[in-house]
Amino acid sequence: MARITAGIACSHVPAIGVAMDQGITDQPYWQPVFKGFEFSRKWNEENKPDVVFLVYNDHCTAFDASVIPTFAIGCAADFTPADEGFGPRPVPVVKGHQKLASHIAQSVILDEFDLTIMNEMEVDHGLTVPLSVMFGDRKPGDDWGTLVIPLAVNVVQYPAPTANRCYNLGKAIRRAIDSYPEDLNVHIYGTGGMSHQLQAERAGLINAEWDQNFMDMLVNEPDKARKIDHVEFLRETGSEGIEMVMWLVMRGALDEKVTEVHRHYHVPASNTAVGHLILENHG
């Protein structure tokens, strides 16, 4: 049977990908950011997943203002890195697991969560940056080392889904994966955040105390974290902090009790707080 063995929370700051692509990760500004992922890459090698179920948000590449699905699952055989204005990132094409993705789509929809099924979709930094920090430098033509199922969540245009809705969706995804008959080691990623605002009067906002408390809640009190409303996310973490609802999808798919094996937090990275957790299921 397929099983989720771990959950990874990870900021997907686009400048992190740029630093890797340009080979400047050893510069003083970037060193503390990437040092926090050294353990993660070693752990990833020792606990290599067959499939990564990666929850992220699209940044107006696959979708624009004409069509914005709340939840969209990628069921394609592959997903090409998108051109985000400066050309696509020089990273490998992302390979999907179509059979598992289709199984999850059917299970979750029949579990009364409406998903948009994407049989063709480009992916942007929201998905490729977390893969890069966990799997290391990969170039076009390389292999990521895992198959990936993308789940795009709308946190760009109001209304975004609530933290509670995302947490419950994670539980539905867990039920779907648990019922898949093939023996697969699955990791689930929740990406985005942490606190940051990129525009208007509060541009540059970072709330380190709130971020750390949120990570504590996510690990030990997920029922408390799932009750955080949109107003609190906006007030405490800035307009882009709402991305953290995607961490709740990841947490909902894990056991009630988890083991925190790694935490990394650093500010700033391109005016953003970088947060990262590795959580293992007890089973």
Side-chain angles (χ1 to χ4, degrees), residues 8-14 16-18 20-21 34 37-38 40-45 48-56 78-82 89-97 122-139 142-151 186-192 275-276 278:
I8 288 85
C10 183
S11 299
H12 58 219
V13 183
I16 290 176
V18 173
M20 293 185 68
D21 299 341
F34 287 97
F37 293 103
E38 291 177 358
S40 305
R41 292 183 184 179
K42 293 176 183 177
W43 175 91
N44 200 46
E45 280 294 319
K48 189 175 180 180
D50 300 304
V51 181
V52 167
F53 189 94
L54 202 151
V55 185
Y56 77 110
D78 51 58
F79 305 92
T80 303
R89 285 194 66 209
V91 294
V93 170
V94 176
K95 301 295 183 180
H97 194 303
E122 293 185 339
V123 292
D124 64 21
H125 71 268
L127 184 138
T128 61
V129 166
L131 289 178
S132 290
V133 297
M134 293 298 293
F135 288 86
D137 290 303
R138 305 290 170 112
K139 302 302 180 186
D142 292 345
D143 187 274
W144 277 113
T146 186
L147 300 178
V148 178
I149 299 173
L151 180 77
V186 181
H187 291 175
I188 182 166
Y189 287 30
T191 74
H276 173 47
I278 298 177

Side-chain angles (χ1 to χ4, degrees), residues 56-104:
Y56 77 110
N57 65 286
D58 177 75
H59 299 80
C60 298
T61 54
F63 310 109
D64 59 25
S66 62
V67 178
I68 305 179
T70 300
F71 301 114
I73 186 169
C75 294
D78 51 58
F79 305 92
T80 303
D83 184 345
E84 301 182 60
F86 301 94
R89 285 194 66 209
V91 294
V93 170
V94 176
K95 301 295 183 180
H97 194 303
Q98 287 185 289
K99 289 184 177 180
L100 179 57
S102 297
H103 171 83
I104 293 171

Side-chain angles (χ1 to χ4, degrees), residues 206-223:
I206 289 175
N207 188 339
E209 181 179 1
W210 195 98
D211 288 342
Q212 293 281 13
N213 288 338
F214 178 75
M215 289 197 283
D216 289 339
M217 279 190 289
L218 200 73
V219 176
N220 301 308
E221 299 179 282
D223 276 337

Side-chain angles (χ1 to χ4, degrees), residues 240-275:
E240 279 72 39
I242 190 64
E243 291 178 349
M244 282 181 278
V245 298
M246 296 184 290
W247 293 30
L248 271 298
V249 180
M250 176 273 290
R251 187 61 181 90
L254 301 181
D255 295 347
E256 182 177 348
K257 300 293 185 181
V258 295
T259 299
E260 179 183 331
V261 298
H262 183 57
R263 180 185 296 207
H264 172 46
Y265 183 80
H266 177 77
V267 294
S270 186
N271 294 321
T272 302
V274 173

Side-chain angles (χ1 to χ4, degrees), residues 155-178:
V155 290
V156 174
Q157 179 171 303
Y158 188 84
T162 64
N164 185 62
R165 181 69 169 167
C166 288
Y167 185 80
N168 286 328
L169 175 59
K171 288 187 171 297
I173 291 166
R174 171 67 178 273
R175 290 190 289 269
I177 291 173
D178 283 350

